[in-house]
Amino acid sequence: YRKEKVTPIKSGTFWLSETPFVPGSISWDAAITRICTWAEFEQAQTGEIFYLFNTHYDHIGEEARLESSKLILNKIEEIAGDNPVVLTGDFNATEDSQPYRVLVENSEGESGVNLQDAFYKTIYEHHGPTSTWSGFTEIVPDRRIDYIFVNTDVTVKQHAILADQWDGRFPSDHLPVLAEITID
């Protein structure tokens, strides 16, 4: 983050498990330990508070991904309340999956959090490919598994998936996702 633009107020980590405050905990059908890290920021210019959450869902466990979505919604509500929220990460789930639907539709109805996919909320047309999985060498169609979600207090001006290559290779097996946002 840019220190001249925002100041971190507090931060924390919780584990994507049935015991989210037990470091290293694993639950459901997860293959490995997964976390969500968050921070509360104050904007230097306006004094406005917003929250950023970043996560990485399990790559094997279907139940773990679903339960992680439910847990994250509940934790966002508990930690951020009614403040502006941005949630980013590798969700290892496509938009036709239940974990995605839980986040954007709150389809389990367990939280008052209303998240929107920045891909669809952008004011200007999306830029770049529509998939984020490359396996380092080739963009795999219909594999958008990395997302930026925002609540209704955040405006998305531009959304992009970047496909820059060096010597015919991508720098990662996932393409970077970028959004230009403003806090309303």
Side-chain angles (χ1 to χ4, degrees):
Y1 61 90
R2 293 186 180 163
K3 294 178 182 179
E4 68 277 5
K5 300 272 186 184
V6 295
T7 302
I9 306 299
K10 57 185 167 184
S11 63
T13 297
F14 56 90
W15 281 256
L16 302 181
S17 75
E18 294 171 290
T19 53
F21 294 107
V22 175
S25 58
I26 301 175
S27 292
W28 310 300
D29 58 351
I32 60 176
T33 301
R34 299 293 186 165
I35 63 170
C36 182
T37 301
W38 63 271
E40 176 185 344
F41 289 99
E42 180 181 1
Q43 293 185 73
Q45 214 171 15
T46 64
E48 178 94 28
I49 298 294
F50 72 95
Y51 288 80
L52 175 66
F53 291 76
N54 186 63
T55 192
H56 189 171
Y57 282 16
D58 196 71
H59 64 300
I60 300 292
E62 290 183 31
E63 181 186 7
R65 288 190 295 273
L66 176 59
E67 295 301 325
S68 293
S69 287
K70 294 176 191 176
L71 175 65
I72 285 177
L73 284 179
N74 288 328
K75 290 297 177 192
I76 287 174
E77 184 172 50
E78 176 185 313
I79 295 166
D82 293 331
N83 289 292
V85 170
V86 177
L87 168 63
T88 64
D90 174 354
F91 293 82
N92 277 311
T94 56
E95 67 180 87
D96 62 348
S97 70
Q98 188 63 18
Y100 176 93
R101 284 193 302 275
V102 165
L103 290 172
V104 298
E105 299 170 6
N106 193 8
S107 63
E108 300 297 318
E110 297 180 12
S111 138
V113 175
N114 180 12
L115 294 178
Q116 298 170 326
D117 185 341
F119 181 91
Y120 294 110
K121 192 178 178 191
T122 184
I123 294 171
Y124 301 108
E125 190 174 322
H126 166 78
H127 172 78
T130 57
S131 182
T132 61
W133 175 251
S134 75
F136 288 103
T137 58
E138 182 179 343
I139 299 171
V140 178
D142 302 319
R143 288 289 295 158
R144 188 165 69 99
I145 59 176
D146 306 276
Y147 302 92
I148 299 172
F149 296 103
V150 298
N151 69 358
T152 54
D153 299 323
V154 178
T155 297
V156 180
K157 290 183 173 181
Q158 180 74 55
H159 183 278
I161 297 172
L162 308 180
D164 297 353
Q165 292 184 4
W166 291 269
D167 296 326
R169 289 179 53 91
F170 296 103
S172 172
D173 56 344
H174 293 252
L175 300 180
V177 181
L178 174 73
E180 181 183 347
I181 64 169
T182 57
I183 306 298
D184 299 338

